[in-house]
């Protein structure tokens, strides 16, 4: 009869837990890099830098122009598009370099994320710390990262023709794919760093979970609408709050036909929808916080609910200030980062409500 060593099982379990923590910290760091990339993307958008690099060279594009001849070549390529001819006609080479470096940094950081993902992945896989379904899930996120690079180029391509900026539809697709990658990285990191589920009755868990899903879905939708506001430069109009000009509802809200297209192509309608959706987010979030406070939850889980109103207050303050000050760069970038922070808190709450694995 074989005798299983309790000490051996404990040692194996400790090694597995240490491996999971190492992988979890790596994924958490990657999610932080994605957040930085989102902020760089916001700067690129706000400084109208996104069309300054008209070539997609995933490998050699990591090398910037190194001499005057190369700088003039890439500047000449930029001068062929409508953005230069209509918006930036007469721009000097020095002014072009100012927008070039923002787009270059955005693309370079994306390449660094790819390296920071692939090399540790291979290391953990070779050491047996990342195998099976866990490895497949993580590698799937890596594939999404590659698709995000392609989506970014497809977005840039939309500004090559008669437009003076990129398509707001492709901009939102690019943003939401970034949000998906960020959320998946964060969720997998939490799975590894906090594998034990909180104990609470199933009926209570299910009710809070459904409420949390609604809140998270509304936050996600609000981020998407914010992408349309950014893509349409909707923050540059109606810069008072809570009214829009002299009215509660802007007079030009439905100037396009059919009516529903206004929310995607009319800056006034996009801004109004963004304001309206923020109210629904606030209702869902505050009511969930109240339910969490009243529920009989362990202290660690209850504390997570209390982070929600602080995230909401910060984001609302940033949003109103960004609008009323006519979209200053630091505030606008902070507002986009604040949206991801609120999304992060919502995922943190949802992870605490996940069911215990069988």
């Amino acid at each position: 009869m074989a005798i299983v060593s309790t000490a051996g099982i404990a040692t194996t379990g400790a090694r597995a837990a240490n491996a999971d923590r190492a992988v979890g910290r790596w994924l958490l760091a990657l999610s932080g890099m994605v957040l930085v990339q989102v902020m760089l993307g916001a700067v690129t958008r706000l400084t109208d830098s996104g069309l300054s690099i008209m070539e997609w060279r995933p490998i050699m594009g990591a090398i910037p122009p190194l001499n005057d001849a190369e700088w003039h070549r890439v500047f000449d390529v930029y001068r062929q598009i409508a953005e230069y001819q209509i918006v930036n006609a007469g721009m000097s080479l020095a002014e072009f370099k100012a927008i070039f470096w923002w787009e270059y940094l955005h693309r370079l950081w994306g390449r660094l994320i790819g390296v920071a993902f692939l090399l540790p992945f291979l290391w953990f896989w070779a050491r047996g710390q990342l195998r099976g379904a866990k490895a497949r899930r993580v590698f799937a996120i890596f594939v999404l990262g590659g698709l995000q690079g392609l989506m970014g180029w497809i977005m840039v391509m939309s500004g090559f023709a008669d437009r003076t900026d990129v398509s707001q539809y492709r901009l939102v697709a690019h943003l939401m794919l970034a949000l998906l990658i960020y959320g998946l990285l964060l969720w997998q990191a939490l799975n590894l760093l906090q594998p034990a589920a909180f104990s609470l009755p199933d009926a209570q868990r299910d009710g809070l979970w459904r409420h949390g899903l609604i809140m998270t879905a509304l936050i996600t939708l609000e981020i998407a609408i914010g992408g349309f506001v950014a893509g349409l430069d909707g923050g540059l109009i109606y810069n008072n709050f809570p009214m829009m000009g002299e009215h509660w509802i802007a007079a030009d809200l439905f100037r396009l036909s059919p009516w529903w297209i206004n929310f995607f192509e009319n800056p006034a309608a996009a801004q109004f929808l963004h304001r309206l959706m923020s109210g629904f987010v606030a209702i869902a979030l505050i009511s969930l916080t109240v339910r969490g406070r009243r529920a009989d939850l362990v202290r660690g889980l209850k504390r997570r609910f209390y982070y929600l109103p602080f995230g909401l207050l910060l984001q609302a303050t940033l949003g109103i200030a960004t609008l009323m000050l006519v979209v200053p760069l630091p505030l606008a970038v902070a507002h986009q980062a604040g949206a991801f922070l609120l999304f992060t808190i919502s995922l943190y709450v949802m992870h605490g409500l996940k069911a215990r694995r069988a």
Side-chain angles (χ1 to χ4, degrees), residues 152-173:
W153 176 244
I154 292 173
M155 177 188 69
V156 170
M157 287 175 61
S158 67
F160 289 179
D162 299 327
R163 300 179 61 101
T164 58
D165 53 15
V166 300
S167 162
Q168 68 271 25
Y169 299 100
R170 298 186 189 186
L171 175 70
V172 171

mmCIF file with all atom_site columns, all heavy atoms in Angstrom, residues 152-173:
data_model
loop_
_atom_site.group_PDB
_atom_site.id
_atom_site.type_symbol
_atom_site.label_atom_id
_atom_site.label_alt_id
_atom_site.label_comp_id
_atom_site.label_asym_id
_atom_site.label_entity_id
_atom_site.label_seq_id
_atom_site.pdbx_PDB_ins_code
_atom_site.Cartn_x
_atom_site.Cartn_y
_atom_site.Cartn_z
_atom_site.occupancy
_atom_site.B_iso_or_equiv
_atom_site.pdbx_formal_charge
_atom_site.auth_seq_id
_atom_site.auth_comp_id
_atom_site.auth_asym_id
_atom_site.auth_atom_id
_atom_site.pdbx_PDB_model_num
ATOM 1   N N   . GLY A 1 152 ? -5.436  48.943 -35.091 1.00 0.00 ? 152 GLY A N   1
ATOM 2   C CA  . GLY A 1 152 ? -4.905  50.298 -35.051 1.00 0.00 ? 152 GLY A CA  1
ATOM 3   C C   . GLY A 1 152 ? -4.524  50.797 -36.434 1.00 0.00 ? 152 GLY A C   1
ATOM 4   O O   . GLY A 1 152 ? -4.782  51.954 -36.792 1.00 0.00 ? 152 GLY A O   1
ATOM 5   N N   . TRP A 1 153 ? -3.919  49.904 -37.237 1.00 0.00 ? 153 TRP A N   1
ATOM 6   C CA  . TRP A 1 153 ? -3.542  50.303 -38.594 1.00 0.00 ? 153 TRP A CA  1
ATOM 7   C C   . TRP A 1 153 ? -4.784  50.502 -39.467 1.00 0.00 ? 153 TRP A C   1
ATOM 8   O O   . TRP A 1 153 ? -4.843  51.437 -40.257 1.00 0.00 ? 153 TRP A O   1
ATOM 9   C CB  . TRP A 1 153 ? -2.627  49.256 -39.203 1.00 0.00 ? 153 TRP A CB  1
ATOM 10  C CG  . TRP A 1 153 ? -2.269  49.559 -40.621 1.00 0.00 ? 153 TRP A CG  1
ATOM 11  C CD1 . TRP A 1 153 ? -2.581  48.829 -41.734 1.00 0.00 ? 153 TRP A CD1 1
ATOM 12  C CD2 . TRP A 1 153 ? -1.529  50.686 -41.096 1.00 0.00 ? 153 TRP A CD2 1
ATOM 13  N NE1 . TRP A 1 153 ? -2.104  49.429 -42.870 1.00 0.00 ? 153 TRP A NE1 1
ATOM 14  C CE2 . TRP A 1 153 ? -1.445  50.579 -42.507 1.00 0.00 ? 153 TRP A CE2 1
ATOM 15  C CE3 . TRP A 1 153 ? -0.938  51.787 -40.466 1.00 0.00 ? 153 TRP A CE3 1
ATOM 16  C CZ2 . TRP A 1 153 ? -0.790  51.523 -43.285 1.00 0.00 ? 153 TRP A CZ2 1
ATOM 17  C CZ3 . TRP A 1 153 ? -0.287  52.731 -41.253 1.00 0.00 ? 153 TRP A CZ3 1
ATOM 18  C CH2 . TRP A 1 153 ? -0.223  52.593 -42.643 1.00 0.00 ? 153 TRP A CH2 1
ATOM 19  N N   . ILE A 1 154 ? -5.781  49.627 -39.311 1.00 0.00 ? 154 ILE A N   1
ATOM 20  C CA  . ILE A 1 154 ? -7.031  49.789 -40.062 1.00 0.00 ? 154 ILE A CA  1
ATOM 21  C C   . ILE A 1 154 ? -7.682  51.123 -39.712 1.00 0.00 ? 154 ILE A C   1
ATOM 22  O O   . ILE A 1 154 ? -8.234  51.816 -40.586 1.00 0.00 ? 154 ILE A O   1
ATOM 23  C CB  . ILE A 1 154 ? -7.989  48.617 -39.767 1.00 0.00 ? 154 ILE A CB  1
ATOM 24  C CG1 . ILE A 1 154 ? -7.424  47.313 -40.353 1.00 0.00 ? 154 ILE A CG1 1
ATOM 25  C CG2 . ILE A 1 154 ? -9.382  48.885 -40.316 1.00 0.00 ? 154 ILE A CG2 1
ATOM 26  C CD1 . ILE A 1 154 ? -8.205  46.077 -39.965 1.00 0.00 ? 154 ILE A CD1 1
ATOM 27  N N   . MET A 1 155 ? -7.585  51.505 -38.448 1.00 0.00 ? 155 MET A N   1
ATOM 28  C CA  . MET A 1 155 ? -8.122  52.799 -38.027 1.00 0.00 ? 155 MET A CA  1
ATOM 29  C C   . MET A 1 155 ? -7.363  53.936 -38.708 1.00 0.00 ? 155 MET A C   1
ATOM 30  O O   . MET A 1 155 ? -7.970  54.878 -39.240 1.00 0.00 ? 155 MET A O   1
ATOM 31  C CB  . MET A 1 155 ? -8.021  52.935 -36.504 1.00 0.00 ? 155 MET A CB  1
ATOM 32  C CG  . MET A 1 155 ? -8.498  54.278 -35.957 1.00 0.00 ? 155 MET A CG  1
ATOM 33  S SD  . MET A 1 155 ? -8.150  54.466 -34.196 1.00 0.00 ? 155 MET A SD  1
ATOM 34  C CE  . MET A 1 155 ? -6.349  54.592 -34.211 1.00 0.00 ? 155 MET A CE  1
ATOM 35  N N   . VAL A 1 156 ? -6.041  53.869 -38.693 1.00 0.00 ? 156 VAL A N   1
ATOM 36  C CA  . VAL A 1 156 ? -5.238  54.921 -39.320 1.00 0.00 ? 156 VAL A CA  1
ATOM 37  C C   . VAL A 1 156 ? -5.537  55.014 -40.811 1.00 0.00 ? 156 VAL A C   1
ATOM 38  O O   . VAL A 1 156 ? -5.626  56.115 -41.374 1.00 0.00 ? 156 VAL A O   1
ATOM 39  C CB  . VAL A 1 156 ? -3.736  54.657 -39.080 1.00 0.00 ? 156 VAL A CB  1
ATOM 40  C CG1 . VAL A 1 156 ? -2.871  55.594 -39.922 1.00 0.00 ? 156 VAL A CG1 1
ATOM 41  C CG2 . VAL A 1 156 ? -3.403  54.829 -37.603 1.00 0.00 ? 156 VAL A CG2 1
ATOM 42  N N   . MET A 1 157 ? -5.736  53.876 -41.466 1.00 0.00 ? 157 MET A N   1
ATOM 43  C CA  . MET A 1 157 ? -6.008  53.863 -42.906 1.00 0.00 ? 157 MET A CA  1
ATOM 44  C C   . MET A 1 157 ? -7.260  54.658 -43.260 1.00 0.00 ? 157 MET A C   1
ATOM 45  O O   . MET A 1 157 ? -7.374  55.193 -44.368 1.00 0.00 ? 157 MET A O   1
ATOM 46  C CB  . MET A 1 157 ? -6.151  52.426 -43.406 1.00 0.00 ? 157 MET A CB  1
ATOM 47  C CG  . MET A 1 157 ? -4.848  51.653 -43.489 1.00 0.00 ? 157 MET A CG  1
ATOM 48  S SD  . MET A 1 157 ? -5.140  49.938 -43.959 1.00 0.00 ? 157 MET A SD  1
ATOM 49  C CE  . MET A 1 157 ? -5.902  50.136 -45.570 1.00 0.00 ? 157 MET A CE  1
ATOM 50  N N   . SER A 1 158 ? -8.201  54.753 -42.323 1.00 0.00 ? 158 SER A N   1
ATOM 51  C CA  . SER A 1 158 ? -9.443  55.484 -42.606 1.00 0.00 ? 158 SER A CA  1
ATOM 52  C C   . SER A 1 158 ? -9.200  56.972 -42.788 1.00 0.00 ? 158 SER A C   1
ATOM 53  O O   . SER A 1 158 ? -10.069 57.690 -43.292 1.00 0.00 ? 158 SER A O   1
ATOM 54  C CB  . SER A 1 158 ? -10.460 55.249 -41.486 1.00 0.00 ? 158 SER A CB  1
ATOM 55  O OG  . SER A 1 158 ? -10.014 55.844 -40.266 1.00 0.00 ? 158 SER A OG  1
ATOM 56  N N   . GLY A 1 159 ? -8.035  57.461 -42.374 1.00 0.00 ? 159 GLY A N   1
ATOM 57  C CA  . GLY A 1 159 ? -7.726  58.877 -42.529 1.00 0.00 ? 159 GLY A CA  1
ATOM 58  C C   . GLY A 1 159 ? -6.892  59.183 -43.756 1.00 0.00 ? 159 GLY A C   1
ATOM 59  O O   . GLY A 1 159 ? -6.446  60.318 -43.940 1.00 0.00 ? 159 GLY A O   1
ATOM 60  N N   . PHE A 1 160 ? -6.677  58.159 -44.620 1.00 0.00 ? 160 PHE A N   1
ATOM 61  C CA  . PHE A 1 160 ? -5.838  58.372 -45.795 1.00 0.00 ? 160 PHE A CA  1
ATOM 62  C C   . PHE A 1 160 ? -6.574  59.031 -46.951 1.00 0.00 ? 160 PHE A C   1
ATOM 63  O O   . PHE A 1 160 ? -5.949  59.611 -47.825 1.00 0.00 ? 160 PHE A O   1
ATOM 64  C CB  . PHE A 1 160 ? -5.283  57.029 -46.294 1.00 0.00 ? 160 PHE A CB  1
ATOM 65  C CG  . PHE A 1 160 ? -4.234  56.435 -45.403 1.00 0.00 ? 160 PHE A CG  1
ATOM 66  C CD1 . PHE A 1 160 ? -3.658  55.223 -45.725 1.00 0.00 ? 160 PHE A CD1 1
ATOM 67  C CD2 . PHE A 1 160 ? -3.816  57.076 -44.261 1.00 0.00 ? 160 PHE A CD2 1
ATOM 68  C CE1 . PHE A 1 160 ? -2.693  54.668 -44.910 1.00 0.00 ? 160 PHE A CE1 1
ATOM 69  C CE2 . PHE A 1 160 ? -2.851  56.537 -43.437 1.00 0.00 ? 160 PHE A CE2 1
ATOM 70  C CZ  . PHE A 1 160 ? -2.292  55.322 -43.764 1.00 0.00 ? 160 PHE A CZ  1
ATOM 71  N N   . ALA A 1 161 ? -7.890  58.896 -47.006 1.00 0.00 ? 161 ALA A N   1
ATOM 72  C CA  . ALA A 1 161 ? -8.645  59.335 -48.177 1.00 0.00 ? 161 ALA A CA  1
ATOM 73  C C   . ALA A 1 161 ? -9.053  60.797 -48.042 1.00 0.00 ? 161 ALA A C   1
ATOM 74  O O   . ALA A 1 161 ? -8.233  61.690 -48.021 1.00 0.00 ? 161 ALA A O   1
ATOM 75  C CB  . ALA A 1 161 ? -9.860  58.427 -48.378 1.00 0.00 ? 161 ALA A CB  1
ATOM 76  N N   . ASP A 1 162 ? -10.347 61.051 -47.959 1.00 0.00 ? 162 ASP A N   1
ATOM 77  C CA  . ASP A 1 162 ? -10.845 62.424 -47.961 1.00 0.00 ? 162 ASP A CA  1
ATOM 78  C C   . ASP A 1 162 ? -11.073 62.977 -46.561 1.00 0.00 ? 162 ASP A C   1
ATOM 79  O O   . ASP A 1 162 ? -11.467 64.137 -46.411 1.00 0.00 ? 162 ASP A O   1
ATOM 80  C CB  . ASP A 1 162 ? -12.159 62.499 -48.753 1.00 0.00 ? 162 ASP A CB  1
ATOM 81  C CG  . ASP A 1 162 ? -11.978 62.078 -50.204 1.00 0.00 ? 162 ASP A CG  1
ATOM 82  O OD1 . ASP A 1 162 ? -10.889 62.337 -50.751 1.00 0.00 ? 162 ASP A OD1 1
ATOM 83  O OD2 . ASP A 1 162 ? -12.912 61.497 -50.778 1.00 0.00 ? 162 ASP A OD2 1
ATOM 84  N N   . ARG A 1 163 ? -10.871 62.184 -45.529 1.00 0.00 ? 163 ARG A N   1
ATOM 85  C CA  . ARG A 1 163 ? -11.100 62.638 -44.160 1.00 0.00 ? 163 ARG A CA  1
ATOM 86  C C   . ARG A 1 163 ? -9.902  63.429 -43.653 1.00 0.00 ? 163 ARG A C   1
ATOM 87  O O   . ARG A 1 163 ? -8.775  63.261 -44.138 1.00 0.00 ? 163 ARG A O   1
ATOM 88  C CB  . ARG A 1 163 ? -11.345 61.453 -43.234 1.00 0.00 ? 163 ARG A CB  1
ATOM 89  C CG  . ARG A 1 163 ? -12.551 60.594 -43.596 1.00 0.00 ? 163 ARG A CG  1
ATOM 90  C CD  . ARG A 1 163 ? -12.670 59.439 -42.612 1.00 0.00 ? 163 ARG A CD  1
ATOM 91  N NE  . ARG A 1 163 ? -12.861 59.925 -41.257 1.00 0.00 ? 163 ARG A NE  1
ATOM 92  C CZ  . ARG A 1 163 ? -14.038 59.972 -40.632 1.00 0.00 ? 163 ARG A CZ  1
ATOM 93  N NH1 . ARG A 1 163 ? -15.126 59.565 -41.256 1.00 0.00 ? 163 ARG A NH1 1
ATOM 94  N NH2 . ARG A 1 163 ? -14.128 60.421 -39.406 1.00 0.00 ? 163 ARG A NH2 1
ATOM 95  N N   . THR A 1 164 ? -10.136 64.250 -42.655 1.00 0.00 ? 164 THR A N   1
ATOM 96  C CA  . THR A 1 164 ? -9.036  64.955 -41.998 1.00 0.00 ? 164 THR A CA  1
ATOM 97  C C   . THR A 1 164 ? -8.709  64.329 -40.646 1.00 0.00 ? 164 THR A C   1
ATOM 98  O O   . THR A 1 164 ? -7.899  64.868 -39.894 1.00 0.00 ? 164 THR A O   1
ATOM 99  C CB  . THR A 1 164 ? -9.392  66.433 -41.794 1.00 0.00 ? 164 THR A CB  1
ATOM 100 O OG1 . THR A 1 164 ? -10.590 66.529 -41.010 1.00 0.00 ? 164 THR A OG1 1
ATOM 101 C CG2 . THR A 1 164 ? -9.596  67.128 -43.120 1.00 0.00 ? 164 THR A CG2 1
ATOM 102 N N   . ASP A 1 165 ? -9.370  63.225 -40.340 1.00 0.00 ? 165 ASP A N   1
ATOM 103 C CA  . ASP A 1 165 ? -9.066  62.460 -39.130 1.00 0.00 ? 165 ASP A CA  1
ATOM 104 C C   . ASP A 1 165 ? -9.521  61.025 -39.359 1.00 0.00 ? 165 ASP A C   1
ATOM 105 O O   . ASP A 1 165 ? -10.026 60.684 -40.429 1.00 0.00 ? 165 ASP A O   1
ATOM 106 C CB  . ASP A 1 165 ? -9.747  63.068 -37.893 1.00 0.00 ? 165 ASP A CB  1
ATOM 107 C CG  . ASP A 1 165 ? -11.247 63.267 -38.099 1.00 0.00 ? 165 ASP A CG  1
ATOM 108 O OD1 . ASP A 1 165 ? -11.800 62.685 -39.054 1.00 0.00 ? 165 ASP A OD1 1
ATOM 109 O OD2 . ASP A 1 165 ? -11.864 64.002 -37.303 1.00 0.00 ? 165 ASP A OD2 1
ATOM 110 N N   . VAL A 1 166 ? -9.360  60.166 -38.350 1.00 0.00 ? 166 VAL A N   1
ATOM 111 C CA  . VAL A 1 166 ? -9.726  58.767 -38.521 1.00 0.00 ? 166 VAL A CA  1
ATOM 112 C C   . VAL A 1 166 ? -11.226 58.584 -38.296 1.00 0.00 ? 166 VAL A C   1
ATOM 113 O O   . VAL A 1 166 ? -11.897 59.430 -37.691 1.00 0.00 ? 166 VAL A O   1
ATOM 114 C CB  . VAL A 1 166 ? -8.936  57.861 -37.548 1.00 0.00 ? 166 VAL A CB  1
ATOM 115 C CG1 . VAL A 1 166 ? -7.440  57.984 -37.796 1.00 0.00 ? 166 VAL A CG1 1
ATOM 116 C CG2 . VAL A 1 166 ? -9.263  58.184 -36.091 1.00 0.00 ? 166 VAL A CG2 1
ATOM 117 N N   . SER A 1 167 ? -11.741 57.467 -38.764 1.00 0.00 ? 167 SER A N   1
ATOM 118 C CA  . SER A 1 167 ? -13.154 57.139 -38.574 1.00 0.00 ? 167 SER A CA  1
ATOM 119 C C   . SER A 1 167 ? -13.456 56.956 -37.097 1.00 0.00 ? 167 SER A C   1
ATOM 120 O O   . SER A 1 167 ? -12.749 56.227 -36.392 1.00 0.00 ? 167 SER A O   1
ATOM 121 C CB  . SER A 1 167 ? -13.481 55.861 -39.347 1.00 0.00 ? 167 SER A CB  1
ATOM 122 O OG  . SER A 1 167 ? -14.688 55.288 -38.888 1.00 0.00 ? 167 SER A OG  1
ATOM 123 N N   . GLN A 1 168 ? -14.523 57.588 -36.622 1.00 0.00 ? 168 GLN A N   1
ATOM 124 C CA  . GLN A 1 168 ? -14.901 57.422 -35.218 1.00 0.00 ? 168 GLN A CA  1
ATOM 125 C C   . GLN A 1 168 ? -15.342 55.995 -34.920 1.00 0.00 ? 168 GLN A C   1
ATOM 126 O O   . GLN A 1 168 ? -15.183 55.504 -33.798 1.00 0.00 ? 168 GLN A O   1
ATOM 127 C CB  . GLN A 1 168 ? -16.004 58.414 -34.828 1.00 0.00 ? 168 GLN A CB  1
ATOM 128 C CG  . GLN A 1 168 ? -17.367 58.182 -35.463 1.00 0.00 ? 168 GLN A CG  1
ATOM 129 C CD  . GLN A 1 168 ? -17.517 58.891 -36.789 1.00 0.00 ? 168 GLN A CD  1
ATOM 130 O OE1 . GLN A 1 168 ? -16.534 59.162 -37.462 1.00 0.00 ? 168 GLN A OE1 1
ATOM 131 N NE2 . GLN A 1 168 ? -18.759 59.218 -37.150 1.00 0.00 ? 168 GLN A NE2 1
ATOM 132 N N   . TYR A 1 169 ? -15.868 55.288 -35.926 1.00 0.00 ? 169 TYR A N   1
ATOM 133 C CA  . TYR A 1 169 ? -16.277 53.898 -35.728 1.00 0.00 ? 169 TYR A CA  1
ATOM 134 C C   . TYR A 1 169 ? -15.053 53.014 -35.477 1.00 0.00 ? 169 TYR A C   1
ATOM 135 O O   . TYR A 1 169 ? -15.053 52.166 -34.576 1.00 0.00 ? 169 TYR A O   1
ATOM 136 C CB  . TYR A 1 169 ? -17.044 53.387 -36.947 1.00 0.00 ? 169 TYR A CB  1
ATOM 137 C CG  . TYR A 1 169 ? -18.318 54.147 -37.229 1.00 0.00 ? 169 TYR A CG  1
ATOM 138 C CD1 . TYR A 1 169 ? -18.371 55.126 -38.219 1.00 0.00 ? 169 TYR A CD1 1
ATOM 139 C CD2 . TYR A 1 169 ? -19.476 53.913 -36.490 1.00 0.00 ? 169 TYR A CD2 1
ATOM 140 C CE1 . TYR A 1 169 ? -19.539 55.836 -38.481 1.00 0.00 ? 169 TYR A CE1 1
ATOM 141 C CE2 . TYR A 1 169 ? -20.651 54.620 -36.732 1.00 0.00 ? 169 TYR A CE2 1
ATOM 142 C CZ  . TYR A 1 169 ? -20.674 55.582 -37.733 1.00 0.00 ? 169 TYR A CZ  1
ATOM 143 O OH  . TYR A 1 169 ? -21.839 56.281 -37.975 1.00 0.00 ? 169 TYR A OH  1
ATOM 144 N N   . ARG A 1 170 ? -14.027 53.213 -36.268 1.00 0.00 ? 170 ARG A N   1
ATOM 145 C CA  . ARG A 1 170 ? -12.811 52.417 -36.084 1.00 0.00 ? 170 ARG A CA  1
ATOM 146 C C   . ARG A 1 170 ? -12.068 52.821 -34.818 1.00 0.00 ? 170 ARG A C   1
ATOM 147 O O   . ARG A 1 170 ? -11.429 51.986 -34.169 1.00 0.00 ? 170 ARG A O   1
ATOM 148 C CB  . ARG A 1 170 ? -11.911 52.565 -37.318 1.00 0.00 ? 170 ARG A CB  1
ATOM 149 C CG  . ARG A 1 170 ? -12.566 52.062 -38.600 1.00 0.00 ? 170 ARG A CG  1
ATOM 150 C CD  . ARG A 1 170 ? -11.602 52.085 -39.766 1.00 0.00 ? 170 ARG A CD  1
ATOM 151 N NE  . ARG A 1 170 ? -12.282 51.804 -41.029 1.00 0.00 ? 170 ARG A NE  1
ATOM 152 C CZ  . ARG A 1 170 ? -11.665 51.658 -42.192 1.00 0.00 ? 170 ARG A CZ  1
ATOM 153 N NH1 . ARG A 1 170 ? -10.340 51.782 -42.253 1.00 0.00 ? 170 ARG A NH1 1
ATOM 154 N NH2 . ARG A 1 170 ? -12.349 51.409 -43.295 1.00 0.00 ? 170 ARG A NH2 1
ATOM 155 N N   . LEU A 1 171 ? -12.160 54.103 -34.472 1.00 0.00 ? 171 LEU A N   1
ATOM 156 C CA  . LEU A 1 171 ? -11.561 54.560 -33.222 1.00 0.00 ? 171 LEU A CA  1
ATOM 157 C C   . LEU A 1 171 ? -12.199 53.858 -32.032 1.00 0.00 ? 171 LEU A C   1
ATOM 158 O O   . LEU A 1 171 ? -11.501 53.385 -31.114 1.00 0.00 ? 171 LEU A O   1
ATOM 159 C CB  . LEU A 1 171 ? -11.733 56.075 -33.088 1.00 0.00 ? 171 LEU A CB  1
ATOM 160 C CG  . LEU A 1 171 ? -11.269 56.698 -31.768 1.00 0.00 ? 171 LEU A CG  1
ATOM 161 C CD1 . LEU A 1 171 ? -9.757  56.655 -31.671 1.00 0.00 ? 171 LEU A CD1 1
ATOM 162 C CD2 . LEU A 1 171 ? -11.757 58.144 -31.648 1.00 0.00 ? 171 LEU A CD2 1
ATOM 163 N N   . VAL A 1 172 ? -13.521 53.761 -32.030 1.00 0.00 ? 172 VAL A N   1
ATOM 164 C CA  . VAL A 1 172 ? -14.225 53.098 -30.929 1.00 0.00 ? 172 VAL A CA  1
ATOM 165 C C   . VAL A 1 172 ? -13.908 51.603 -30.917 1.00 0.00 ? 172 VAL A C   1
ATOM 166 O O   . VAL A 1 172 ? -13.724 51.009 -29.842 1.00 0.00 ? 172 VAL A O   1
ATOM 167 C CB  . VAL A 1 172 ? -15.744 53.346 -31.036 1.00 0.00 ? 172 VAL A CB  1
ATOM 168 C CG1 . VAL A 1 172 ? -16.514 52.481 -30.044 1.00 0.00 ? 172 VAL A CG1 1
ATOM 169 C CG2 . VAL A 1 172 ? -16.057 54.818 -30.799 1.00 0.00 ? 172 VAL A CG2 1
ATOM 170 N N   . ALA A 1 173 ? -13.831 50.977 -32.094 1.00 0.00 ? 173 ALA A N   1
ATOM 171 C CA  . ALA A 1 173 ? -13.462 49.562 -32.156 1.00 0.00 ? 173 ALA A CA  1
ATOM 172 C C   . ALA A 1 173 ? -12.073 49.347 -31.565 1.00 0.00 ? 173 ALA A C   1
ATOM 173 O O   . ALA A 1 173 ? -11.836 48.376 -30.820 1.00 0.00 ? 173 ALA A O   1
ATOM 174 C CB  . ALA A 1 173 ? -13.514 49.065 -33.601 1.00 0.00 ? 173 ALA A CB  1
#
